[in-house]
Amino acid sequence: MTEMVYGSNPVRATEPVIPRWWRTIDKWTLSSIFVLFGIGLLLGLAASVPLATRNGLEPYYYVQKQAMFGGLGMAAMIAVSMLSPETVRRLGVIGFVAALVLVMVLPLVGQDHGKGAIRWLSFGGFSLQPSEFLKPAFVVVTAWLMAASQQVGGPPGKTISFLLAILVVGFLAMQPDFGQSALVLFSWGVIYFIAGAPMLLIVVIGGITAAGGMFAYGASEHFARRIDGFLSPDVDPRTQLGYAANAIQEGGFFGVGVGEGQVKWSLPDAHTDFIIAVAAEEYGLILVLCIITLYAVVVVRSLLRLMAERDPFTRLAGAGLACVFGVQAMINMGVAVRLLPAKGMTLPFVSYGGSSLIAAGITVGALLAMTRTRRRDRMSEVFKRGGRQG
């Protein structure tokens, strides 16, 4: 009877999830990530064989594990990229609390795996590095707090996020993991700057960070040893930095040839922290430039798409995720060419590592969710509506 009097409500044909996702996703970023993962598997075929031989395993044992964890990372990336920014925010808060709790218990139950830093939780034959998952979750939480602080009557999000950053850095420094600590502070600074922080405050925070580095140099033998090795004018050819520098020089422009590199037999971390040295030696400068270009595509494309975003949280979270992703790649490659001290940081999607591959997938998945094309009203239509309301 109601339909006969008032007429039936028009039924909207909803677009299926997969076609809508494909239509709105940034395909350049998505394609760049898949190419980076393919390059990582290619380099793993060469870099991980010596390690498997030394450990008495099958030659391609680590490549198979990299493919498995990478597959999980790709699946996580696609799944997260289908979510709305609001859902990413909710999951980010839950993930931040869980990852922070795991980082807090590391000094009690964590292991160092011979690396000199307690960063892993081991159970059932698997190892988990909680700090890898803490980074993207921290970015999402920080963006949420700072976006909320911009609302009328909103909470003091900038202050709360800064206290959270200090808390996270404090527990990461206890491992010690100063590389991840620097990334956390960097991500907070980027989001704070985009949210409208005064330049003087950024300078003050930079000074505090420098003072913290000086304190860490005096208090941590692990940190001091890496800084001394970086500042030394002479590179010991028997160290990881020495092997990596020699491999990059030997590679030249075109490389020494597929499978002909020697650095993988000398570097214990050739498949993780120094994978770019393997790429430079066997494939030369050409492949290194391709890798750099792919990372640049992801970061630049994401930032350009975020410039048109009106929602503060989406804009802040996307910018923070893009910058953290790009800076981590820069740090890894900068260490290999001795522009930065050794950090123990992987090259996203290229280096071997279960936690890093899955966490990178979650990071880029959240970034893709923030940069998906959304319907936006034209400014002329906004003014028209405002005029009619007036």
Side-chain angles (χ1 to χ4, degrees):
M1 180 64 70
T2 304
E3 292 180 0
M4 292 175 64
V5 176
Y6 296 102
S8 59
N9 294 326
V11 178
R12 288 189 176 183
T14 58
E15 187 178 9
V17 174
I18 300 298
R20 184 171 69 249
W21 170 80
W22 179 250
R23 178 175 54 82
T24 58
I25 202 74
D26 183 6
K27 299 176 184 62
W28 281 94
T29 296
L30 187 65
S31 301
S32 298
I33 295 301
F34 276 108
V35 174
L36 282 170
F37 178 55
I39 292 174
L41 289 178
L42 177 66
L43 296 176
L45 290 172
S48 63
V49 172
L51 179 64
T53 302
R54 287 194 293 267
N55 292 337
L57 301 171
E58 296 182 0
Y60 300 111
Y61 171 81
Y62 292 104
V63 179
Q64 294 172 358
K65 290 190 67 175
Q66 184 173 358
M68 180 187 69
F69 287 121
L72 293 175
M74 297 296 106
M77 178 184 70
I78 294 174
V80 174
S81 68
M82 293 183 178
L83 304 177
S84 65
E86 292 77 14
T87 304
V88 172
R89 183 191 65 203
R90 297 187 186 102
L91 294 177
V93 173
I94 297 173
F96 174 76
V97 174
L100 182 59
V101 170
L102 293 178
V103 169
M104 288 179 174
V105 302
L106 275 177
L108 302 176
V109 298
Q111 298 182 1
D112 63 357
H113 292 298
K115 302 293 184 180
I118 303 175
R119 302 176 183 175
W120 292 270
L121 291 172
S122 298
F123 47 89
F126 292 93
S127 295
L128 177 71
Q129 190 173 352
S131 60
E132 292 285 355
F133 300 91
L134 186 62
K135 286 181 300 185
F138 174 79
V139 170
V140 171
V141 170
T142 299
W144 172 47
L145 290 170
M146 291 197 184
S149 69
Q150 297 177 359
Q151 300 175 359
V152 178
K158 296 178 179 179
T159 302
I160 297 174
S161 64
F162 178 71
L163 294 177
L164 285 179
I166 297 301
L167 177 67
V168 170
V169 168
F171 279 101
L172 289 176
M174 292 173 61
Q175 298 182 9
D177 192 345
F178 297 105
Q180 303 286 15
S181 300
L183 270 183
V184 168
L185 288 176
F186 171 79
S187 64
W188 183 87
V190 166
I191 298 173
Y192 195 16
F193 179 77
I194 297 175
M199 185 58 68
L200 178 60
L201 183 58
I202 297 294
V203 174
V204 171
I205 293 174
I208 294 175
T209 303
M214 295 177 64
F215 173 79
Y217 180 83
S220 172
E221 181 181 352
H222 175 79
F223 183 78
R225 185 168 59 251
R226 292 195 169 188
I227 294 297
D228 291 340
F230 170 71
L231 295 177
S232 175
D234 299 321
V235 180
D236 188 345
R238 296 167 297 179
T239 62
Q240 294 201 93
L241 289 176
Y243 287 127
N246 182 69
I248 294 172
Q249 294 174 359
E250 292 291 331
F253 197 81
F254 296 103
V256 299
V258 180
E260 299 297 326
Q262 298 299 316
V263 69
K264 59 195 176 187
W265 296 98
S266 305
L267 278 174
D269 294 329
H271 62 310
T272 55
D273 300 352
F274 292 93
I275 191 69
I276 198 68
V278 177
E281 184 181 30
E282 297 199 358
Y283 297 91
L285 180 63
I286 294 178
L287 182 60
V288 175
L289 291 178
C290 288
I291 293 173
I292 294 174
T293 301
L294 290 169
Y295 284 114
V297 167
V298 173
V299 175
V300 174
R301 287 276 306 181
S302 299
L303 293 178
L304 289 176
R305 291 170 73 94
L306 288 165
M307 288 177 65
E309 181 59 54
R310 294 181 181 179
D311 180 59
F313 165 73
T314 303
R315 185 171 61 250
L316 294 175
L321 292 168
C323 291
V324 165
F325 178 79
V327 168
Q328 179 170 338
M330 289 177 57
I331 291 175
N332 177 276
M333 291 184 282
V335 168
V337 296
R338 208 165 175 257
L339 290 176
L340 294 170
K343 297 289 185 183
M345 199 170 293
T346 59
L347 190 60
F349 293 106
V350 178
S351 296
Y352 170 85
S355 296
S356 63
L357 283 168
I358 297 175
I362 295 173
T363 301
V364 176
L367 176 59
L368 288 169
M370 301 298 170
T371 57
R372 284 174 60 183
T373 304
R374 295 177 182 83
R375 182 180 177 181
R376 300 182 181 89
D377 294 331
R378 295 180 180 178
M379 293 305 296
S380 59
E381 296 176 354
V382 174
F383 288 133
K384 287 180 181 179
R385 287 202 302 268
R388 287 197 296 268
Q389 294 174 358

